Amino acid sequence: PRPALKSVNMYSTWQQRLSRFFIIPQRVILAIMGFLAIMNAYTMRISLSIAITEMVNKTSGGVIEEDSGVCPIDEDADPDDFTGGEFDWDEELQGIILSSFYWGYVITHIPGGMLAEKFGGKWTLSLGILSTAIFTLITPWAVQSGGSTALIVIRVLMGLGEGTTFPALSALMATWIPAKERSKLGSLVFGGGQVGTILGNLLSGVLLHNIEGWSSVFYFFGGLGILWFVIFTLICYSDPESHPFISEKEKAYLKQELGTLERDRTLPPTPWRYILTSVPMMALVCAQIGHDWGFFIMVTDLPKYMSDVLRFSIKDNGLYSSLPYLVMWIVSLSTGVLSDWLITSGRMTITFGRKLFTTIASIGPACFIVGASYAGCEKVVVVMLFTFAMGLMGTFYPGMKVNPLDLSPNYAGTLMAITNGIGAITGIIAPYVVGVMTPNHTLEEWRIVFWISFAIFNITNLVYIIWASGEVQPWNTPHLMNKSVESGDHRAAIEAKESEAKKSVQSQDAIKH
């Protein structure tokens, strides 16, 4: 036994020595790596939106400029920026290519959440990102050898890999981040989406402008994804208990705040029947569909609008397509802090706060997007209006995006998978609808697309205003719910309600997805 004891002592000594190298607490390192995971996921996802404007031949089947709503090319612009590439893909096929990612993305959401809850989030997250990175790297080879069909297959496979990202991160954060830090660390992690979109658009524009051909975009972002995988697997772990070089001080703090250092394996099975028949849950899904429709139209098709209608050069396109997301990121972080303050200081209830911020994020963008289509070829005005629209969309984060944590802290990962998964179906429909409705990519055709978005934003928001809730639902603790019903004793139900009321106070600090 003595040698065994000696090796344990040596191991714990090494643990302590290693932990001294990390000035930042391990939960913050996890949050930073989570931020970089989402950032990488988004750059790999959206790089095609800019690259496709250089892959497709714009001279064939083009539209006569004076004839309809396409803006003239600036006099000082390089004409080569507007010829495009070698592929003759029509608008409908481009719509299918851009939406194919979401076919795979939708499928792995719920399995990703369940795998992360069962086996921990580390490998569910990292292997998903790794597979997406590998498929991104081989995209140029696939397109050259198999054309549009191979590109569609590759994009579906990328979607399958990336579908686990959000559910796995929700599971990781539940085991690592105390309630009182969820607001700021959650905002940091999920801000990766906007930062990824900013960098994806900006760097794609720079790479395409300075390097001949379009393949550099895929090599660059795929390479970054693999680099992230290597670092993440070396320094991050699924829960504090299994982390080899976490300090004793942080371990004690997390145990005090979270109550446990391991995943809760005693939770009853997911109460699917209650979740799927819950009215606040349906209202949440509805709001997610509205948000995702607007968001996916902007993420996937804004670069095409800038290129085809406003006739921005590729470098300008990257810059101006990324600007709205920068504002959105700033707004989502600042309104998150504002929302927490308004709720904790008793100035508004959680339910009212969620509804207020969701309404701002629906009505504002709806009006500005339509306004942009009436600004014609006034490029500065159009970019400003799109930037206002996306900026206001940032208030979705303190609104309906954190609502799963209010409804059920215990099953937040599953609720996240359901709402995000159903919402992502709009990512399949939106680019295809845009492709079908804009065969000549004119201003008039795009205006109809923006009016449809206006209607979807407002209808889904109305449903959310009427039926949404910020209260913990009874099915959050199905075992207590069933007990009280079986015994005819309401005390258990009241106790459950009281304990969940405490959790709902904590959920103002909920994750800003």
Side-chain angles (χ1 to χ4, degrees):
R2 275 194 176 162
L5 192 68
K6 195 175 177 185
S7 66
V8 168
N9 286 339
M10 273 180 67
Y11 177 68
S12 62
T13 311
W14 268 106
Q15 245 183 301
Q16 288 311 307
R17 279 186 188 165
L18 271 171
S19 71
R20 283 190 206 120
F21 282 108
F22 291 93
I23 304 158
I24 308 171
Q26 291 300 333
R27 62 186 183 281
V28 178
I29 290 172
L30 180 93
I32 292 166
M33 291 307 291
F35 164 84
L36 294 172
I38 295 185
M39 190 188 84
N40 272 314
Y42 269 74
T43 55
M44 292 187 285
R45 181 195 304 189
I46 65 135
S47 52
L48 181 67
S49 300
I50 293 261
I52 202 166
T53 63
E54 294 300 290
M55 294 164 76
V56 176
N57 186 349
K58 296 178 200 167
T59 50
S60 64
V63 61
I64 302 156
E65 276 179 37
E66 293 76 22
D67 197 33
S68 51
V70 175
C71 300
I73 298 171
D74 284 345
E75 286 170 17
D76 56 352
D78 180 359
D80 290 343
D81 272 343
F82 300 93
T83 53
E86 66 266 41
F87 300 104
D88 290 322
W89 298 335
D90 63 17
E91 289 297 317
E92 189 175 339
L93 179 57
Q94 287 180 53
I96 293 169
I97 289 167
L98 288 171
S99 73
S100 57
F101 171 88
Y102 296 99
W103 306 349
Y105 187 66
V106 169
I107 294 167
T108 47
H109 257 73
I110 289 173
M114 291 164 88
L115 282 170
E117 278 162 19
K118 195 166 176 56
F119 301 108
K122 175 178 177 173
W123 294 106
T124 321
L125 173 66
S126 59
L127 292 173
I129 300 273
L130 176 67
S131 64
T132 310
I134 291 167
F135 293 128
T136 303
L137 280 172
I138 63 171
T139 300
W141 167 80
V143 177
Q144 297 297 353
S145 51
S148 58
T149 312
L151 180 55
I152 290 168
V153 171
I154 283 280
R155 294 292 290 181
V156 173
L157 292 170
M158 281 176 68
L160 285 169
E162 213 168 288
T164 61
T165 307
F166 280 96
L169 267 169
S170 290
L172 272 174
M173 291 172 75
T175 54
W176 272 97
I177 297 177
K180 61 168 87 161
E181 293 180 9
R182 275 189 191 152
S183 189
K184 58 174 188 284
L185 292 181
S187 300
L188 168 70
V189 170
F190 293 104
Q194 278 93 43
V195 175
T197 309
I198 294 161
L199 290 176
N201 280 314
L202 206 55
L203 296 176
S204 295
V206 171
L207 289 166
L208 291 164
H209 180 72
N210 293 308
I211 299 171
E212 190 65 36
W214 44 264
S215 48
S216 59
V217 169
F218 300 103
Y219 295 140
F220 180 75
F221 292 122
L224 281 183
I226 287 175
L227 178 66
W228 173 88
F229 170 81
V230 173
I231 297 169
F232 178 82
T233 49
L234 289 174
I235 65 171
C236 292
Y237 289 79
S238 286
D239 49 55
E241 193 55 56
S242 63
H243 202 299
F245 35 86
I246 184 172
S247 70
E248 288 301 323
K249 185 183 167 193
E250 186 179 5
K251 226 177 196 179
Y253 168 73
L254 290 175
K255 190 160 182 66
Q256 180 198 332
E257 290 294 325
L258 295 165
T260 174
L261 296 179
E262 294 183 285
R263 297 187 303 286
D264 183 1
R265 294 182 174 86
T266 61
L267 261 186
T270 309
W272 290 107
R273 185 163 61 89
Y274 294 114
I275 290 174
L276 298 174
T277 54
S278 162
V279 175
M281 180 62 188
M282 291 305 102
L284 174 60
V285 168
C286 212
Q288 180 80 29
I289 289 168
H291 164 268
D292 282 2
W293 178 275
F295 189 72
F296 288 137
I297 287 242
M298 298 297 273
V299 166
T300 315
D301 292 303
L302 185 61
K304 277 170 65 59
Y305 184 80
M306 299 258 189
S307 166
D308 296 345
V309 179
L310 297 176
R311 310 297 283 268
F312 277 124
S313 71
I314 189 63
K315 194 171 60 173
D316 291 346
N317 190 349
L319 174 65
Y320 294 129
S321 293
S322 63
L323 193 63
Y325 301 99
L326 179 63
V327 177
M328 184 181 180
W329 184 44
I330 294 164
V331 169
S332 68
L333 290 175
S334 54
T335 53
V337 173
L338 174 67
S339 166
D340 279 354
W341 175 75
L342 287 169
I343 291 167
T344 45
S345 63
R347 284 173 169 79
M348 62 167 66
T349 63
I350 295 176
T351 303
F352 182 79
R354 302 294 178 245
K355 289 179 179 179
L356 172 71
F357 285 109
T358 303
T359 304
I360 294 168
S362 301
I363 294 172
C367 297
F368 284 121
I369 286 172
V370 169
S373 70
Y374 285 95
C377 294
E378 296 289 334
K379 294 184 180 182
V380 177
V381 178
V382 173
V383 171
M384 274 174 61
L385 288 169
F386 278 136
T387 304
F388 287 146
M390 290 307 286
L392 288 175
M393 221 185 267
T395 64
F396 264 121
Y397 288 71
M400 48 71 65
K401 277 285 189 180
V402 291
N403 204 197
L405 281 131
D406 303 324
L407 299 178
S408 173
N410 287 338
Y411 298 102
T414 303
L415 299 197
M416 176 75 186
I418 295 168
T419 50
N420 227 26
I422 294 173
I425 294 170
T426 59
I428 298 171
I429 300 165
Y432 181 70
V433 167
V434 171
V436 170
M437 293 185 69
T438 59
N440 304 311
H441 35 79
T442 65
L443 201 53
E444 286 77 9
E445 290 168 346
W446 276 94
R447 191 171 291 151
I448 299 166
V449 171
F450 293 144
W451 271 114
I452 290 170
S453 302
F454 180 89
I456 289 171
F457 266 132
N458 285 302
I459 292 164
T460 53
N461 185 58
L462 189 64
V463 172
Y464 191 76
I465 288 174
I466 298 168
W467 285 295
S469 169
E471 304 300 312
V472 174
Q473 299 301 296
W475 41 262
N476 181 50
T477 47
H479 49 307
L480 294 177
M481 194 166 106
N482 295 342
K483 226 182 271 177
S484 64
V485 173
E486 281 161 21
S487 62
D489 168 23
H490 293 295
R491 190 176 299 158
I494 292 161
E495 282 171 11
K497 194 81 180 155
E498 282 171 0
S499 77
E500 294 313 327
K502 286 176 192 164
K503 284 190 183 175
S504 82
V505 172
Q506 293 174 341
S507 74
Q508 309 119 20
D509 300 331
I511 304 168
K512 303 285 181 290
H513 283 122

